[in-house]
Amino acid sequence: MLQQIIRDMYIEPELLAELSEDQKQVLFCKMREEQVRRWNIQIKEDEKENKETKSRKPGKKKKRVKFIPDAEGKPWTWVMGDHKDDKPYEQLIEEEQQEKARKEAEQRSKEERERLMKQREEEERLAREKAILEGDKKKKDEEAALYASVKQAQLEAKRLEKERLEKEKQMREIAEKERKLKEAREHQEQEIRRREKERAKELYQKWKQQAAQRSKEDEKETKEQDEIWKGQLRRSKKADKDRSAAAMRARNSLRQSGDYSGLNFADIAFQIHTENISSKKPALPPKPTAVQPRPPRPKSRDDAVKWFKEVEAPRNVAIESYAKKPADWFHGIISRMKAEELLSTRPIGTFLVRVSERVWGYTLSYKDGERVKHFLIDTTDNTYQFFGANQIAHLSLVDLVNYHKNNPISEVGQEYLRTPCGQSADTPDYAELFRNMETKTTRL
């Protein structure tokens, strides 16, 4: 199934939704490798076409991209930091952070200066009022000189004196306000400069700490990726060892038991596995007949039921040998939502295996904290393994479940299969899979 997805470079949205995060990452890496491989092939074809074009007669030239060659004739490249005049990456980041801090401090200083500008406008308005008052005083003095009589002059003089005193009082108040405004403006300018310096320093320290934190997180993520790679390498080596051991057992069994001609490796291995768990010697398997190839995925629920009855049920795929009945963790064709509902109140490590109606295989649902993880089980090669690269192939579904009771499904998640999730209703949800079938080992 993985090879078909890589060949088509497309995956159905429903199938993608069934994949876990680890399986999605593996699929993305494989598809990316295929893109690079196809790109290299296209480059070679273009180079071959260019050589053929040069040998032809000159005609209309096509537009092409040419790279500047270096001393060895290869495309010239420049790697930041390799040149002697290039600044280190840390210095560039630090200078950029200092520049950002300076610009933000300037922006805030600009806002403070705009507020001071409004205060200056208020001072100019007070100055204009002062000039108007002085003009009025001058006008009144000129009017006083026009009075002919002494009495009127005296009365007018008293009135003018009173007005003069009031004007002087107002002028003193205006001068006091101007002085206070000037002092406040000077104090505010000093405070703005001081806060600007402090703000620039604070922002620089904050961005420097964030850069250090990001560096630590990147280093931690790199270590985690290394651990994942090492774990996958160990699992791959163990899978190779298991396959070699299975092949050895198959060869020994062939030498002892008889003729298995016409069977592939998976059928021989399954037959040997059945012989090991059965107390009686089983009959020889029927000769393989030509069958029509199945479509890439089931088209309906009936197709999935038919596939299980014809292919999986004869292998006793979910039958526990000691109990001669379906395992507690086995379920029929139930939805993703139903599986999450069954596991919602269960403890961490509870799991179930359900028949999938989107692929020829199964889905393992696992309770992990506050959520439920879902892992696709691929059966396209007559073996049982989780979807993805470097996965261990098992001869039966029971073997896969038993193996991951002591070994985690993924190195990152550490998913150990602890407690099976049984049936919640009187009639098991896998009843339709075994209906109208004759079996000696399965009893519903």
Side-chain angles (χ1 to χ4, degrees):
M1 183 167 58
L2 178 61
Q3 288 79 4
Q4 180 181 354
I5 293 173
I6 293 175
R7 182 175 63 253
D8 299 338
M9 295 302 287
Y10 175 77
I11 182 172
E12 295 289 342
E14 296 84 359
L15 179 57
L16 182 63
E18 290 291 330
L19 299 179
S20 65
E21 292 299 326
D22 295 339
Q23 293 174 332
K24 289 179 181 178
Q25 292 179 6
V26 171
L27 178 61
F28 172 79
C29 293
K30 291 297 181 182
M31 295 181 74
R32 184 58 181 166
E33 290 175 357
E34 178 64 15
Q35 287 179 340
V36 173
R37 187 187 67 81
R38 294 182 182 182
W39 174 252
N40 291 333
I41 294 174
Q42 183 64 35
I43 289 177
K44 292 180 180 179
E45 292 178 355
D46 291 343
E47 291 177 351
K48 182 178 179 182
E49 183 181 352
N50 290 339
K51 293 180 180 179
E52 293 176 356
T53 303
K54 290 181 180 179
S55 61
R56 297 173 186 172
K57 294 181 180 181
K60 185 177 180 181
K61 295 182 178 179
K62 296 182 179 180
K63 295 182 179 180
R64 299 185 180 277
V65 177
K66 294 184 179 180
F67 296 94
I68 300 175
D70 58 7
E72 297 179 358
K74 298 180 181 179
W76 180 84
T77 56
W78 171 71
V79 180
M80 181 178 179
D82 287 353
H83 196 270
K84 61 180 182 178
D85 295 333
D86 290 345
K87 295 180 180 180
Y89 176 78
E90 292 79 9
Q91 183 178 352
L92 292 175
I93 294 299
E94 186 172 355
E95 290 178 357
E96 182 181 358
Q97 292 175 349
Q98 291 177 354
E99 182 63 18
K100 287 182 179 179
R102 185 186 63 78
K103 288 183 178 180
E104 184 170 346
E106 288 179 357
Q107 178 64 24
R108 296 185 182 181
S109 299
K110 182 179 179 181
E111 294 175 358
E112 296 289 344
R113 291 191 177 91
E114 288 178 356
R115 188 169 65 254
L116 291 176
M117 182 64 70
K118 292 181 180 180
Q119 291 180 354
R120 291 195 188 96
E121 291 177 356
E122 179 66 17
E123 292 175 1
E124 292 176 357
R125 187 183 65 79
L126 293 174
R128 288 194 298 271
E129 289 181 358
K130 180 180 178 181
I132 293 172
L133 291 174
E134 290 178 352
D136 291 340
K137 179 177 177 297
K138 184 178 180 181
K139 184 177 179 180
K140 295 298 182 182
D141 291 338
E142 292 176 351
E143 290 177 354
L146 299 176
Y147 288 101
S149 65
V150 176
K151 186 176 180 180
Q152 289 178 346
Q154 290 176 350
L155 293 174
E156 188 64 20
K158 289 181 181 180
R159 186 181 65 81
L160 292 175
E161 181 66 16
K162 184 178 179 181
E163 291 180 353
R164 184 182 66 79
L165 293 174
E166 290 177 354
K167 298 295 183 183
E168 289 178 352
K169 182 179 179 181
Q170 292 177 357
M171 291 176 66
R172 286 194 299 270
E173 291 176 353
I174 291 173
E176 182 66 20
K177 288 182 179 180
E178 289 178 346
R179 184 184 66 79
K180 290 181 179 180
L181 287 173
K182 184 177 180 181
E183 291 177 355
R185 184 176 65 253
E186 293 175 353
H187 177 72
Q188 288 176 352
E189 288 179 350
Q190 293 177 358
E191 185 66 19
I192 288 171
R193 287 192 294 269
R194 183 185 65 80
R195 283 187 293 180
E196 180 180 347
K197 292 180 180 178
E198 292 179 354
R199 193 175 297 116
K201 184 177 180 181
E202 180 181 352
L203 291 172
Y204 169 70
Q205 293 296 334
K206 180 179 179 181
W207 284 331
K208 191 172 182 181
Q209 292 175 359
Q210 291 176 353
Q213 182 66 23
R214 285 194 297 270
S215 178
K216 291 181 180 178
E217 292 175 355
D218 293 341
E219 184 178 355
K220 181 179 179 182
E221 183 178 358
T222 301
K223 291 182 179 179
E224 292 177 352
Q225 293 296 333
D226 290 340
E227 291 297 328
I228 294 173
W229 179 83
K230 292 177 181 178
Q232 291 179 347
L233 182 61
R234 290 194 300 269
R235 292 169 64 182
S236 177
K237 291 181 178 179
K238 186 175 181 181
D240 293 338
K241 185 177 180 181
D242 292 343
R243 283 194 289 269
S244 298
M248 180 63 71
R249 290 196 302 271
R251 287 195 295 269
N252 294 335
S253 177
L254 281 174
R255 296 190 188 99
Q256 297 173 4
S257 61
D259 184 14
Y260 282 84
S261 60
L263 299 181
N264 56 24
F265 172 75
D267 292 333
I268 295 174
F270 178 77
Q271 181 64 28
I272 295 170
H273 173 72
T274 306
E275 293 174 357
N276 290 337
I277 65 173
S278 175
S279 59
K280 297 180 180 180
K281 183 177 180 180
L284 290 176
K287 294 183 179 180
T289 58
V291 296
Q292 296 295 330
R294 291 194 304 271
R297 50 175 292 188
K299 296 182 179 179
S300 63
R301 182 186 184 94
D302 293 338
D303 288 347
V305 174
K306 182 179 178 181
W307 165 79
F308 183 86
K309 288 182 177 181
E310 294 179 354
V311 179
E312 298 296 291
R315 297 181 177 180
N316 295 331
V317 64
I319 306 301
E320 293 181 332
S321 58
Y322 64 88
K324 303 299 182 181
K325 67 176 183 178
D328 293 338
W329 43 261
F330 182 73
H331 287 256
I333 304 176
I334 61 176
S335 64
R336 182 190 185 104
M337 186 178 298
K338 179 64 177 178
E340 293 179 353
E341 180 182 346
L342 291 174
L343 295 171
S344 60
T345 59
R346 300 300 182 94
I348 296 175
T350 306
F351 69 99
L352 61 86
V353 178
R354 52 191 172 93
V355 179
S356 176
E357 59 179 324
R358 290 193 174 94
V359 298
W360 304 114
Y362 304 86
T363 301
L364 188 147
S365 301
Y366 177 84
K367 179 63 180 299
D368 185 16
E370 298 297 328
R371 63 171 181 158
V372 176
K373 293 183 178 180
H374 303 275
F375 300 91
L376 279 180
I377 300 176
D378 190 9
T379 62
T380 54
D381 295 330
N382 293 326
T383 57
Y384 301 85
Q385 62 181 1
F386 287 113
F387 183 86
N390 298 326
Q391 297 294 330
I392 299 177
H394 299 272
L395 298 178
S396 68
L397 189 61
V398 175
D399 288 347
L400 183 144
V401 171
N402 292 336
Y403 176 80
H404 287 289
K405 288 181 179 180
N406 300 318
N407 299 275
I409 298 176
S410 65
E411 294 295 333
V412 177
Q414 293 292 308
E415 301 91 352
Y416 290 91
L417 304 183
R418 300 300 187 195
T419 307
C421 178
Q423 300 291 327
S424 60
D426 295 336
T427 302
D429 51 29
Y430 54 71
E432 64 175 335
L433 301 177
F434 299 95
R435 188 177 295 119
N436 300 328
M437 291 186 61
E438 295 183 358
T439 176
K440 298 180 179 179
T441 59
T442 304
R443 199 176 72 188
L444 298 180

